[in-house]
Amino acid sequence: LLLSLHDSASAGEVIAELNRWFAKENIAARAGGWKAAAGPYASTVDVLRAVFNGALVIVAVVAVIIMMNTLVISVIDRTREIGTMRALGAQKGFVWRLFILETLAISLVFGLIGIGVGIALLAIVGAIGIPASNDFLQILFAGPVLRPQLDPASLWQSLLVTLGIGILAHIYPVSVALKVSPRKAIEID
């Protein structure tokens, strides 16, 4: 027997109440949540979720390292410019703001490009569909064919994560550039 609740937050209370009623009426039945009904498939899905989340963390770390490396090269190439600005009276905060704005602009542009590519791929997969060839995939896909749908909240989360990675990646390179004295930065080799 499958029940759908209007308030899914009360599922634990409903399950407990049903089990008490079954015991009181001597009915050989037991109420449980969807994980109990799905059995080992539910734990497999949880493991897959953890693996995918772990992979996303690894991708995020790699993205930070790549962006940081690119920004270090950019900052090193512009050390004289930074030194000149500092020698002319620019405060460290001004230089920080220049780099954070540049990093945010780059992150925003390429984040939007990535979101656009993701939306296009999602539309293609949604139109074609990926058939579930066995019972496990049917449970994982929640049906015989996977037809993913776009979640607007995920778009905003993706963009915010991209901007956050950009901000995180710019901290080290700019702090290195600001440690160089203005006099040393503008010296002719």
Side-chain angles (χ1 to χ4, degrees):
L1 181 62
L2 180 64
L3 296 177
S4 177
L5 302 176
H6 291 291
D7 180 18
S8 61
S10 64
E13 297 170 19
V14 172
I15 290 170
E17 181 65 31
L18 284 171
N19 283 328
R20 282 192 295 271
W21 184 75
F22 291 150
K24 184 178 129 187
E25 298 294 325
N26 290 327
I27 297 174
R30 176 148 173 76
W34 72 269
K35 285 189 177 185
Y41 290 117
S43 60
T44 304
V45 169
D46 285 342
V47 169
L48 285 174
R49 181 182 302 126
V51 168
F52 285 134
N53 287 339
L56 286 174
V57 167
I58 291 170
V59 167
V61 168
V62 169
V64 167
I65 291 169
I66 290 171
M67 287 179 73
M68 195 179 304
N69 186 32
T70 304
L71 290 170
V72 165
I73 292 168
S74 172
V75 167
I76 288 172
D77 287 345
R78 294 166 28 193
T79 302
R80 281 187 183 219
E81 295 170 28
I82 295 168
T84 302
M85 284 189 290
R86 297 268 296 125
L88 293 173
Q91 300 298 317
K92 288 184 177 183
F94 176 77
V95 176
W96 271 99
R97 283 190 300 277
L98 284 177
F99 278 98
I100 190 72
L101 288 173
E102 178 184 359
T103 302
L104 287 174
I106 291 169
S107 299
L108 181 66
V109 167
F110 286 100
L112 290 173
I113 290 171
I115 287 172
V117 170
I119 289 171
L121 290 174
L122 190 72
I124 291 168
V125 171
I128 296 171
I130 299 175
S133 58
N134 58 41
D135 291 339
F136 174 71
L137 288 178
Q138 282 192 359
I139 290 172
L140 189 63
F141 294 173
V145 177
L146 175 64
R147 294 196 189 279
Q149 296 178 353
L150 184 61
D151 178 19
S154 294
L155 294 178
W156 289 110
Q157 289 172 347
S158 299
L159 192 57
L160 289 176
V161 167
T162 302
L163 293 174
I165 288 173
I167 290 169
L168 184 66
H170 104 284
I171 294 171
Y172 173 72
V174 176
S175 64
V176 167
L178 292 177
K179 287 181 184 175
V180 177
S181 72
R183 186 179 66 84
K184 183 82 172 162
I186 60 175
E187 281 181 356
I188 299 174
D189 294 328

